[in-house]
């Protein structure tokens, strides 16, 4: 799958991508917008209502404030850099404002129909040689590209949460993606300061293909009485050096999101390892989506001291 992109090619790509459009200003969209602006790109973020932009930009301000507190030699930024990054970010509720973007990265709700509707509605607005990218974690990129009239300019760019900190971007090739579009997106990910990995459009790509069965197995182990939520988390953190135990990570990613991913993955592979355990379904039915809703496998009434549930 490896492709060669020499100095000339990199220069051409650099020239081509200057303005970035981000669709959606939620957790992932706002994070993607932040890293693009931090890398020097002008960014326009589209949302359906101003209140979602306000919420997303408040998250960006919080994250930039954390970077500004850190010494520059440890990856921090100066107050002046923070202001420059902020000045490169613009929110809008009008699709027309994306017209001059060189790449448009979609990070709206993880729902096939909603995503296709969004792409179809901007296809005629976005300039002809722009790249369409989706941050989908589980939906087939090939299915999404059917919504636009230029499938060869369509690609997956899968970022990880929290986007400003996680170094990885999965660059997802479909059978329709033009090689030069793939190279441009790969170089773009590098320009963001990320480490891109090459993968193809198979559900879950690399990370979720391996991560999701692990997370679901942790729930099954708990259901079978192998250990408590806290003990399983501690075991994986302290025994394997993972930054978060599986239940903390599940709450962090969102149980609704994970539950949705299990459906798409199970539908593709029809293997038990991708099927949702009953407890995950019950928590989602109860509206306990994890950290964002205040309760999941842990109760976050006191966010500094989450309390593990007993189910
Ligand atoms: N922006 C800027 N800085 C941030 C930040 C943010 N959003 N969040 C945390 N930080 C900073 C903190 O201020 C702290 O800075 P300091 O060292 O200068 O004090 C530093 O990052 C470390 O934060 P914490 O001490 O709060 O916590 P940790 O040391 O545990 O690090 C973490 C946080 C990087 C999130 C780490 O726990 C981690 O790597 N967790 C695993 C995350 C993961 O696996 N993500 C992938 C999820 S899967 C996914 O996204 C795919 C999807 O498709 C499901």
């Amino acid at each position: 799958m490896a492709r060669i992109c020499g100095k000339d090619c990199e220069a051409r790509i650099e020239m081509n991508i200057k303005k970035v459009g981000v669709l959606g200003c939620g957790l992932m969209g706002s994070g993607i917008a932040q890293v693009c602006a931090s890398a020097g790109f002008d960014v326009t973020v589209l949302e359906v209502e101003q209140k979602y932009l306000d919420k997303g930009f408040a998250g960006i301000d919080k994250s930039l404030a954390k970077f500004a507190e850190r010494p520059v030699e440890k990856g921090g930024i100066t107050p002046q850099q923070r202001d420059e990054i902020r000045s490169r970010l613009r929110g809008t509720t009008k699709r027309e404002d994306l017209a001059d973007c060189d790449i448009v990265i979609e990070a709206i709700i993880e729902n096939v129909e909603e995503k296709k509707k969004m792409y179809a509605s901007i296809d005629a607005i976005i300039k002809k040689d722009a790249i369409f990218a989706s941050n989908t974690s589980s939906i087939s990129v090939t299915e999404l590209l059917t919504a636009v009239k230029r499938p060869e300019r369509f690609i997956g760019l899968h970022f990880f949460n929290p986007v400003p900190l996680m170094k990885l971007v999965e660059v997802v090739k479909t059978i329709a993606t033009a090689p030069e579009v793939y190279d441009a997106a790969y170089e773009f990910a590098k320009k963001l300061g990320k480490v891109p990995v090459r993968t193809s459009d198979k559900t879950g790509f690399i990370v979720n293909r391996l991560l999701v069965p692990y997370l679901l197995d942790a729930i099954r182990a708990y259901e079978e009485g192998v250990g408590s939520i806290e003990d399983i988390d501690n075991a994986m953190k302290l025994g394997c050096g993972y930054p978060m135990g599986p239940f903390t990570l599940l709450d962090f990613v969102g149980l609704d999101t994970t539950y949705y991913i299990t459906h798409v993955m199970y539908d593709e592979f029809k293997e038990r390892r991708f099927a949702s355990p009953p407890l995950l379904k019950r928590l989602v039915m109860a509206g306990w989506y994890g950290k964002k809703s205040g309760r999941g496998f842990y109760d976050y009434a006191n966010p500094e001291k989450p309390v593990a549930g007993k189910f």
Side-chain angles (χ1 to χ4, degrees), residues 3-10 12-13 183-184 187:
R3 292 193 55 81
I4 296 159
C5 181
K7 272 217 166 68
D8 290 353
C9 166
E10 280 183 27
R12 183 162 46 82
I13 289 158
D183 289 341
E187 291 305 317

Side-chain angles (χ1 to χ4, degrees), residues 9-235:
C9 166
E10 280 183 27
R12 183 162 46 82
I13 289 158
E14 212 169 297
M15 261 170 39
N16 286 349
I17 300 182
K18 288 204 172 78
K19 290 198 170 171
V20 180
V22 178
L23 311 177
C25 199
L27 199 62
M28 298 304 284
S30 60
I32 293 168
Q34 180 184 328
V35 298
C36 293
S38 301
F41 294 97
D42 286 323
V43 185
T44 303
V45 190
L46 178 77
E47 255 299 350
V48 281
E49 283 184 53
Q50 184 62 39
K51 65 176 180 188
Y52 298 119
L53 287 170
D54 293 343
K55 194 170 174 215
F57 277 83
I60 292 175
D61 286 335
K62 220 169 135 187
S63 175
L64 289 177
K66 284 183 185 169
F67 281 110
E69 278 167 17
R70 213 178 292 167
V72 175
E73 56 279 12
K74 288 192 173 159
I77 54 172
T78 64
Q80 192 196 338
Q81 284 172 319
R82 180 197 55 205
D83 296 345
E84 282 167 7
I85 294 167
R86 203 55 181 78
S87 73
R88 286 194 283 270
L89 284 158
R90 186 161 83 104
T92 185
T93 54
K94 294 194 200 90
R95 286 166 166 67
E96 297 71 39
D97 289 341
L98 298 169
D100 61 347
C101 289
D102 303 302
I103 184 166
V104 175
I105 308 170
E106 169 275 314
I108 67 166
I109 184 172
E110 195 72 349
N111 174 296
V112 184
E113 292 315 318
E114 291 300 321
K115 285 185 192 285
K116 285 172 81 171
K117 250 195 275 172
M118 171 58 86
Y119 284 120
S121 74
I122 58 168
D123 195 16
I125 296 170
I126 310 295
K127 65 182 188 190
K128 245 174 55 202
D129 57 351
I131 296 175
F132 282 118
S134 176
N135 178 55
T136 184
S137 55
S138 55
I139 294 169
S140 161
V141 182
T142 312
E143 173 151 18
L144 297 179
L145 63 77
T146 60
V148 298
K149 294 201 176 81
R150 37 186 148 165
E152 71 287 355
R153 303 205 63 77
F154 209 105
I155 194 144
L157 274 183
H158 185 210
F159 293 80
F160 292 81
N161 182 22
V163 182
L165 298 186
M166 304 307 281
K167 293 298 271 182
L168 186 72
V169 176
E170 291 181 316
V171 187
V172 185
K173 190 178 187 302
T174 76
I175 50 172
T177 310
E180 64 274 19
V181 169
Y182 192 85
D183 289 341
Y186 189 89
E187 291 305 317
F188 172 69
K190 283 210 279 192
K191 280 216 82 191
L192 298 182
K194 301 294 183 192
V195 178
V197 290
R198 298 171 194 275
T199 185
S200 62
D201 187 28
K202 310 278 177 350
T203 300
F205 316 131
I206 297 172
V207 171
N208 280 341
R209 175 79 170 253
L210 301 176
L211 177 67
V212 170
Y214 156 71
L215 295 175
L216 300 181
D217 258 346
I219 304 173
R220 283 189 263 272
Y222 174 70
E223 286 176 329
E224 288 164 22
V226 174
S228 69
I229 285 173
E230 266 169 327
D231 284 344
I232 293 175
D233 264 359
N234 275 332

Side-chain angles (χ1 to χ4, degrees), residues 212 216 220 262-263 265-266 271-278 280:
V212 170
L216 300 181
R220 283 189 263 272
T262 63
H263 279 88
M265 294 192 80
Y266 186 77
E271 289 177 29
R272 180 181 178 268
R273 66 198 170 112
F274 298 111
S276 169
L280 177 61

